[in-house]
Amino acid sequence: MDAIVNTAAAKQRGTGRSVASWTFTNPEWVAPSEPTRHSTVDVRCDNALPGAPGQVGCVNLQAVPVISYSLTGPWPEVAQHIKDAQATGLPGKYGTTNYLTRLTDRKKSRENRGKACPSAVILPRPPGKSCDEYPFAGTWQGAKYGSGEFSRRVVNAKQNTDAGKAFEGFYTYSRVLEGDRFLVWIR
């Protein structure tokens, strides 16, 4: 593998691919076969996960990570909101190439959330409810830094919080770094 990550320094990245080469020989043949080579897809190895700089891992750069929310799962109101928002043409729908891309700058994420869900929008907020935004505040397609098109909906606050935690876990588990693309599948 050509990609080597220096784990001594944070936020290091390397890309590469492996190449296997072999030659067949047989004492009965006059000469060995021509060398045969096969290479893998491009792989990125890094220790650049926000909040976990010592955690080294690798990903296939051709694979697009997908987070899934279920309409019958633990966060049905959030899933329905995303499904409805995607139906209007907002980015991130599974099966398309209209990707979402990760935004790691916390200040910009807060600005995305503030534009989509300012506290003055829904007053008074019903008890146990919170404002959910799509595209997610933690993406470059969010309300402020995206096209300006977004959706907001009042949903169950616990579902919103827990779905947000699952989303952060998806970023870590799938090694989605700044600017990496991904999709959202509603099932």
Side-chain angles (χ1 to χ4, degrees):
M1 166 89 59
D2 294 331
I4 298 174
V5 176
N6 174 0
T7 57
K11 297 186 179 181
Q12 297 294 308
R13 300 179 193 203
T15 58
R17 62 177 54 202
S18 294
V19 177
S21 177
W22 57 90
T23 304
F24 296 100
T25 60
N26 184 321
E28 297 176 17
W29 295 349
V30 175
S33 71
E34 290 295 317
T36 301
R37 297 172 59 89
H38 178 71
S39 64
T40 63
V41 296
D42 287 334
V43 174
R44 178 190 70 215
C45 296
D46 67 79
N47 64 354
L49 274 175
Q55 187 178 12
V56 177
C58 301
V59 293
N60 173 342
L61 289 176
Q62 291 181 356
V64 177
V66 177
I67 184 168
S68 175
Y69 291 102
S70 172
L71 295 168
T72 59
W75 317 299
E77 290 184 30
V78 173
Q80 187 65 56
H81 175 216
I82 295 169
K83 181 179 181 180
D84 293 345
Q86 288 178 340
T88 70
L90 289 173
K93 184 176 181 180
Y94 178 74
T96 71
T97 56
N98 193 7
Y99 304 110
L100 293 171
T101 50
R102 183 172 185 187
L103 167 66
T104 58
D105 184 308
R106 291 183 188 272
K107 180 177 182 267
K108 289 179 178 173
S109 293
R110 282 191 302 274
E111 290 171 350
N112 273 338
R113 188 171 291 110
K115 181 173 180 183
C117 290
S119 57
V121 169
I122 302 162
L123 290 174
R125 285 210 176 141
K129 298 287 188 174
S130 67
C131 183
D132 182 39
E133 79 284 341
Y134 187 85
F136 307 111
T139 67
W140 281 102
Q141 292 72 30
K144 180 171 181 176
Y145 291 96
S147 67
E149 307 239 345
F150 63 91
S151 176
R152 67 175 153 238
R153 182 175 292 175
V154 174
V155 299
N156 177 286
K158 179 162 178 28
Q159 286 185 34
N160 199 10
T161 298
D162 291 348
K165 289 177 184 175
F167 181 60
E168 288 300 318
F170 159 75
Y171 272 165
T172 301
Y173 180 79
S174 299
R175 299 198 75 78
V176 180
L177 304 181
E178 172 68 34
D180 283 356
R181 62 191 185 165
F182 66 95
L183 294 167
V184 184
W185 179 31
I186 303 301
R187 51 187 177 84

